[in-house]
Amino acid sequence: MSFDRIDRQILSLLQADGRMTNVDLADQVGLTAPPCLRRVRALEEAGAIRGYHADLDASRLGFPITVFAMVSLRSQAEHDLAAFEHHIADIPEIRECHMLNGEIDFILKIVAADLKSFQEILTTHLTPAPNVASVKTSLTIRTAKALSGIPVVVD
């Protein structure tokens, strides 16, 4: 699907404020409400908009610890990669999982209530997982930038 200037404006505005009303959105992109809503629905159906969510403050909600874990597997066969992804899918503290090329197979973003909770995740879920060769972790000291979404270029 190709996106024109108005589609990109809609995407940019909704990415910045997913709670924006359709009337406000239409006003900002220069449309009336019905065609604007049709465009939003088309962007959703095309998969350009995957969903809407609230951006929660992890620390205020009891998860002040963020750790990045670099996981190396013994085998990179597709069924072993998929098995690892399936294994970590149901661990709620693992918020992101990215497969990488190079020495590290996966990088995980993990949140925890405290270091003891993180250690439990590490020792009960990650290091004993099938096919895991090593797990290296780095505790986040502070976050200087954390933007969700992507840069949307509007002509």
Side-chain angles (χ1 to χ4, degrees):
M1 179 176 184
S2 63
F3 305 106
D4 65 13
R5 182 185 56 78
I6 293 175
D7 289 334
R8 289 191 302 274
Q9 283 181 299
I10 289 170
L11 293 168
S12 179
L13 290 164
L14 285 177
Q15 181 173 252
D17 180 6
R19 294 185 69 182
M20 178 180 290
T21 68
N22 184 58
V23 172
D24 288 340
L25 180 62
D27 184 53
Q28 289 194 38
V29 300
L31 296 174
T32 60
C36 184
L37 185 58
R38 282 193 294 275
R39 282 181 177 255
V40 170
R41 295 291 181 249
L43 291 165
E44 291 170 346
E45 290 172 13
I49 298 173
R50 295 187 301 197
Y52 302 88
H53 71 279
D55 186 11
L56 306 180
D57 186 317
S59 187
R60 287 180 187 241
L61 293 167
F63 294 93
I65 305 293
T66 300
V67 178
F68 288 92
M70 287 68 69
V71 180
S72 296
L73 302 181
R74 289 185 191 91
S75 165
Q76 289 73 34
E78 185 55 41
H79 69 276
D80 291 322
L81 297 169
F84 178 78
E85 291 169 342
H86 180 73
H87 175 78
I88 58 101
D90 294 327
I91 304 169
E93 295 86 358
I94 298 177
R95 304 309 299 167
E96 295 180 28
C97 173
H98 303 273
M99 187 168 68
L100 306 175
N101 73 338
E103 291 181 41
I104 304 299
D105 295 308
F106 290 95
I107 187 166
L108 310 176
K109 179 181 177 183
I110 304 167
V111 297
D114 51 39
L115 290 175
K116 183 179 180 194
S117 299
F118 168 68
Q119 182 181 6
E120 186 175 323
I121 294 163
L122 181 66
T123 58
T124 62
H125 295 294
L126 286 180
T127 54
N131 196 37
V132 170
S134 70
V135 179
K136 297 175 183 173
T137 61
S138 291
L139 178 68
T140 300
I141 303 295
R142 76 172 163 230
T143 301
K145 184 175 182 178
L147 299 176
S148 61
I150 60 167
V152 179
V153 178
V154 179
D155 298 315

